[in-house]
Amino acid sequence: MTAPPSSRLIGLAAAAVACVCIAYVFFTGNVWEDYLITFRFSRNFARGNGLVYIPGERVHGFTSFFNVMIPAVADWLYGGESIMPALTVYRTACIAALTAAVATLGLAMRRDPTIPAAAIVVLAVAMAVDLKTVAYAGNGQETAFVWLFAAIGILAIERGIVEHWLLFGLSATGLMYTRPDGFVFAGILGLAGLVIPVNPEDSRRSVSAGFVPLVKAAGVCVACYAPWLVWVWRYYGTPIPHTVIAKVNAYGDVHAARSPFEWSVAWAGHTLQDAASVYAPIYFNPADWPAWTPTLCRLLVGLSIAPLLMPAAPGLARRSALAFLLGLAYLGAIHTRIGLLFPWYTTFAALAGIVSIATAGCWLVQRCAARTWARVVVAATLLSVGVGMAVLSYHGWRQLALQQQEIEWGVRAEVGRWFAAHAGENDRVLLEPIGYIGFFSNAKLYDYPGLVSPAVVDARRRGHRSIPEVAAFLRPEWLVLRRNELADASRHPELREAYDVVQQFRASPRLRDSVIAGGCQGSGWLAFDAEYTILKRR
């Protein structure tokens, strides 16, 4: 454990992470709600209807090339109506990508002889007990590809960006094909390598010596990403995904006019607020989880940043800590701009933080060899946070298994099938969660905030800021509302007079019984989606 990580140990660590992800898939069966939004694009493309959500309407309502194209190819090959063949192929690709990311990070650790082999073990354990990393690698999200291409970028920097700018450029390209904001992640990694160079001699050279390779890498990224960008621009009429346009000013009061100072204050507040969410459970609510959860998450944030205060720490740890800090700043900017932070946005920050903790923690344990008490303190801290994250992950697996069985299959998929049998061909359905309902109904949807619905985005720009206001403006034939959304709608006289309740779908009593009997954590999130009411316009 004190020598640099061997190829065998790196392989075992990668295989262990893959096994945990496979176990998650079998235990929870979880299929991400938004995967089915993208998969409707994939299926239409595979069946010859174009890369569209609704045939005939060209709206760029997905964000990841990999997330839409891998399932499309699989669905074209397998055919049939089941979602499972394409999903299985995509899950396999994601788990393989996460496995390769572990191996790539292990190779990066080997570049620094001060990083002991234990670091790759701690890295693998930290990934395995981080709920969001495992969940989003196995449920149809593109998180694993962020890990893989960011890891390749880290390896390029550790090998020397001057000589390996091409590899860094390819990693940036992969990040762009994974997410439209992939250039931000690549830029953060590049900046961290520029501020904390691998070779101490580089710090005494001109900045241009490190900047020029980054410019060359950016050129590679632009050249490799341009074909897809040009095609998207011509096909949809804009290079910016409609999902990005729809989310701007979508939640909270961010649409209100603010001065630059007010924006700066809001950004700083959100950055601090969102730091702990990097390691928190999915859609974390303090009331639904153990009281020590926020403390644990804040401790992990502190450990992620700590290497910046250790000048002698391995360069990989310090660069990762800086990338984590810059990642938090980016999360704060997103939150400030759209009014909400979705849990999958924290992927890059979690990656940087986990690498920082693993490398710096194990280096510190080895460095404290002569001080037994210090070594015990560091090792005990790592063990304690690992056990804490494992407990949260255990409860998160149980929560998501219930979510899948009782809500996704038991409620939302059934709502979609109901619409497939009752909605007219040209009927419009307004709702927020369009994944399962949209896929299984194949109906024309108006979603809030308008991921696949330019009409909803236009309504919001006209000042209609909530689902009831949008419904009153667009007058769709159908509304699908959660309990709290129904309560909001009932306060609008126009909606009370124009719509009748025709059907309700509730999660089975098994959900309530399981939560009560099993003491399931995260019950608030489960309750949020447990009931839907369908209203029809008179």
Side-chain angles (χ1 to χ4, degrees):
M1 288 293 110
T2 58
S6 65
S7 298
R8 182 181 181 184
L9 185 61
I10 292 173
L12 288 172
V17 171
C19 289
V20 172
C21 293
I22 293 170
Y24 172 85
V25 170
F26 280 99
F27 182 83
T28 67
N30 183 226
V31 183
W32 185 44
E33 154 81 6
D34 286 15
Y35 169 80
L36 289 177
I37 302 176
T38 303
F39 186 60
R40 185 162 161 177
F41 283 89
S42 303
R43 174 151 290 181
N44 277 326
F45 188 62
R47 307 296 162 88
N49 297 322
L51 196 56
V52 294
Y53 191 78
I54 300 172
E57 297 185 11
R58 294 190 178 185
V59 180
H60 190 178
F62 60 92
T63 54
S64 172
F65 172 86
F66 294 117
N67 196 226
V68 75
M69 284 301 175
I70 294 175
V73 173
D75 196 56
W76 176 73
L77 290 172
Y78 281 90
E81 295 304 313
S82 173
I83 69 170
M84 296 313 297
L87 177 61
T88 300
V89 170
Y90 187 67
R91 279 171 165 165
T92 302
C94 287
I95 295 173
L98 194 65
T99 303
V102 178
T104 304
L105 291 170
L107 294 177
M109 290 177 180
R110 289 174 65 171
R111 304 294 300 180
D112 188 339
T114 66
I115 299 176
I120 191 63
V121 177
V122 173
L123 174 78
V125 171
M127 291 173 65
V129 298
D130 182 62
L131 174 62
K132 292 198 286 288
T133 296
V134 173
Y136 290 140
N139 67 5
Q141 219 261 13
E142 64 268 12
T143 286
F145 292 105
V146 174
W147 270 87
L148 174 59
F149 293 113
I152 293 173
I154 291 172
L155 179 62
I157 292 173
E158 295 305 307
R159 287 183 171 179
I161 191 69
V162 175
E163 297 83 9
H164 295 88
W165 57 268
L166 177 59
L167 182 62
F168 190 79
L170 293 176
S171 82
T173 302
L175 287 169
M176 285 301 300
Y177 275 103
T178 301
R179 289 182 54 88
D181 58 352
F183 68 93
V184 175
F185 306 144
I188 288 174
L189 291 177
L191 181 60
L194 199 62
V195 173
I196 306 175
V198 174
N199 185 354
E201 293 297 323
D202 292 341
S203 62
R204 290 187 281 272
R205 296 160 59 186
S206 65
V207 175
S208 61
F211 185 72
V212 170
L214 293 179
V215 173
K216 292 160 71 175
V220 171
C221 179
V222 170
C224 294
Y225 189 65
W228 172 249
L229 185 66
V230 171
W231 184 87
V232 164
W233 202 332
R234 293 190 61 184
Y235 192 77
Y236 297 109
T238 174
I240 304 174
H242 193 70
T243 53
V244 176
I245 296 172
K247 289 178 182 177
V248 173
N249 297 340
Y251 304 95
D253 61 349
V254 292
H255 59 275
R258 289 180 176 178
S259 67
F261 175 75
E262 290 173 324
W263 276 107
S264 299
V265 172
W267 166 76
H270 287 143
T271 300
L272 293 173
Q273 173 187 339
D274 298 333
S277 67
V278 172
Y279 298 108
I282 298 171
Y283 291 115
F284 172 67
N285 182 350
D288 297 333
W289 291 85
W292 47 264
T293 303
T295 301
L296 173 65
C297 295
R298 294 188 192 102
L299 175 59
L300 285 163
V301 170
L303 294 176
S304 300
I305 300 173
L308 289 176
L309 306 177
M310 306 175 187
L316 175 58
R318 298 176 65 222
R319 283 184 286 275
S320 298
L322 180 57
F324 176 81
L325 200 58
L326 295 173
L328 291 184
Y330 178 55
L331 293 178
I334 293 175
H335 196 159
T336 304
R337 197 71 180 93
I338 73 174
L340 185 65
L341 187 72
F342 292 102
W344 52 90
Y345 291 169
T346 64
T347 297
F348 178 80
L351 179 157
I354 288 174
V355 173
S356 171
I357 292 172
T359 50
C362 293
W363 166 81
L364 199 56
V365 169
Q366 182 168 280
R367 189 177 177 87
C368 296
R371 300 180 180 88
T372 303
W373 65 269
R375 196 172 190 177
V376 169
V377 168
V378 176
T381 301
L382 291 176
L383 181 62
S384 298
V385 297
V387 170
M389 291 298 289
V391 170
L392 295 182
S393 190
Y394 163 74
H395 287 295
W397 283 34
R398 294 183 59 213
Q399 176 202 35
L400 288 164
L402 277 173
Q403 170 89 8
Q404 186 62 42
Q405 185 62 35
E406 304 297 340
I407 293 175
E408 309 296 20
W409 294 132
V411 177
R412 294 207 271 216
E414 290 304 311
V415 173
R417 295 187 178 104
W418 188 92
F419 271 111
H422 293 84
E425 182 179 353
N426 296 315
D427 284 2
R428 302 161 301 163
V429 183
L430 175 64
L431 72 167
E432 189 275 331
I434 60 173
Y436 283 83
I437 298 173
F439 181 82
F440 287 103
S441 69
N442 205 34
K444 179 179 176 62
L445 299 186
Y446 282 167
D447 76 282
Y448 189 92
L451 304 181
V452 297
S453 310
V456 174
V457 175
D458 179 64
R460 288 178 38 235
R461 287 173 176 168
R462 293 170 182 264
H464 306 290
R465 303 290 181 181
S466 66
I467 292 178
E469 291 175 5
V470 171
F473 177 73
L474 294 177
R475 295 174 56 82
E477 284 71 29
W478 302 89
L479 302 178
V480 181
L481 304 176
R482 298 179 177 95
R483 181 183 299 177
N484 63 313
E485 295 162 350
L486 181 64
D488 290 342
S490 67
R491 290 190 283 270
H492 286 252
E494 295 177 65
L495 299 183
R496 288 201 307 267
E497 295 172 2
Y499 288 88
D500 293 320
V501 173
V502 295
Q503 186 64 274
Q504 286 188 315
F505 287 83
R506 294 186 179 93
S508 72
R510 289 191 303 271
L511 178 62
R512 182 194 63 235
D513 295 342
S514 297
V515 170
I516 295 174
C520 178
Q521 307 297 325
S523 57
W525 179 32
L526 297 175
F528 179 71
D529 280 313
E531 181 178 321
Y532 287 87
T533 300
I534 298 176
L535 299 90
K536 185 176 183 181
R537 185 157 58 86
R538 295 172 185 171

